[in-house]
């Protein structure tokens, strides 16, 4: 049974509703899955995965503020929900909050270090917050794992470009009009 001590009929009904919600999500009947998962997470608030699925459905529907709230609640209740961290990071990126996305995506990558999509999203978020060194590390990791993926090389190029821009600004501050400065300007 889904809930210990619950009457058998209620347990069967909730299990059936959970199957319907999952099928609706798989079939991209997003509004239906939102309705079903909202009912399930209200009936079974102790099951964090239901709140995670509700958050994922809201993300797929483009309801990013709601998605971020539901996914935050889910991972706060169960930090082992890797998919919750991934979708939370994606929601934060959509909301223009890359600093919060970095935290969520780092949690995801710690739980699932191999999936390339999480590494890619983390690299992109790191670039957005100006952490070019860690972004370069993530993209180099991806380049080894997926050498034929153009998106990886594009991200690596963006990270190096950001690092180079920052290095030039620093050179301009500490040694303006030096030989190195003129050399870079000439190039």
């Amino acid at each position: 049974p889904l809930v210990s001590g619950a009457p058998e009929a209620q347990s069967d009904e909730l299990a059936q509703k959970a199957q319907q919600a999952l099928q609706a999500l798989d079939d991209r009947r997003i509004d239906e899955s939102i309705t079903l998962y909202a009912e399930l997470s209200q009936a079974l608030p102790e099951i964090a995965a239901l709140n995670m699925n509700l958050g994922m459905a809201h993300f797929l529907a483009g309801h990013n503020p709601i998605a971020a709230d539901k996914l935050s609640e889910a991972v706060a209740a169960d930090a082992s929900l890797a998919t919750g961290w991934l979708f939370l990071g994606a929601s934060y990126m959509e909301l223009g909050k890359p600093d919060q996305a970095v935290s969520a995506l780092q949690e995801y990558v710690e739980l699932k270090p191999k999936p390339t999509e999480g590494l890619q999203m983390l690299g992109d978020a790191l670039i957005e917050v100006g952490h070019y060194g860690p972004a370069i590390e993530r993209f180099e990791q991806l380049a080894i794992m997926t050498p034929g993926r153009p998106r990886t090389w594009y991200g690596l190029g963006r990270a190096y470009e950001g690092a180079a821009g920052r290095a030039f600004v620093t050179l301009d501050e500490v040694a303006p009009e030096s030989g190195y400065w003129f050399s870079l300007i000439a190039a």
Side-chain angles (χ1 to χ4, degrees):
L2 289 172
V3 181
S4 60
E8 191 69 31
Q10 179 192 12
S11 179
D12 289 344
E13 179 185 329
L14 293 173
Q16 183 179 9
K17 191 176 281 192
Q19 276 302 116
Q20 291 172 340
L22 183 60
Q23 189 62 52
L25 192 59
D26 285 345
D27 293 344
R28 296 290 191 245
R29 296 188 321 265
I30 305 302
D31 291 338
E32 181 182 343
S33 69
I34 288 172
T35 300
L36 292 168
Y37 277 123
E39 292 171 6
L40 285 164
S41 66
Q42 185 175 4
L44 303 166
E46 69 279 0
I47 301 177
L50 293 173
N51 223 15
M52 177 188 74
N53 288 353
L54 177 58
M56 289 170 35
H58 277 292
F59 175 81
L60 294 172
H63 309 151
N64 291 304
I66 298 168
D69 288 343
K70 295 299 177 187
L71 291 161
S72 291
E73 291 172 15
V75 297
D78 183 355
S80 70
L81 294 172
T83 304
W85 288 112
L86 179 67
F87 274 83
L88 180 58
S91 293
Y92 283 142
M93 287 296 286
E94 290 294 321
L95 291 169
K97 299 178 178 181
D99 52 333
Q100 291 174 287
V102 166
S103 298
L105 293 167
Q106 284 174 330
E107 292 289 337
Y108 173 77
V109 169
E110 284 185 30
L111 292 169
K112 301 274 187 181
K114 296 286 184 201
T116 57
E117 194 58 34
L119 285 170
Q120 180 77 45
M121 289 173 62
L122 177 56
D124 290 339
L126 287 164
I127 288 172
E128 292 299 315
V129 296
H131 296 167
Y132 302 114
I136 289 168
E137 291 174 21
R138 294 299 182 199
F139 285 116
E140 286 177 344
Q141 200 178 356
L142 274 169
I144 291 168
M145 293 166 59
T146 58
R149 189 174 180 197
R151 187 172 167 207
T152 297
W153 294 102
Y154 174 73
L156 185 58
R158 284 183 59 217
Y160 275 121
E161 184 179 32
R166 179 167 289 152
F168 181 76
V169 167
T170 302
L171 178 64
D172 191 42
E173 290 170 358
V174 298
E177 299 187 20
S178 66
Y180 295 113
W181 186 88
F182 280 115
S183 179
L184 285 172
I185 294 294

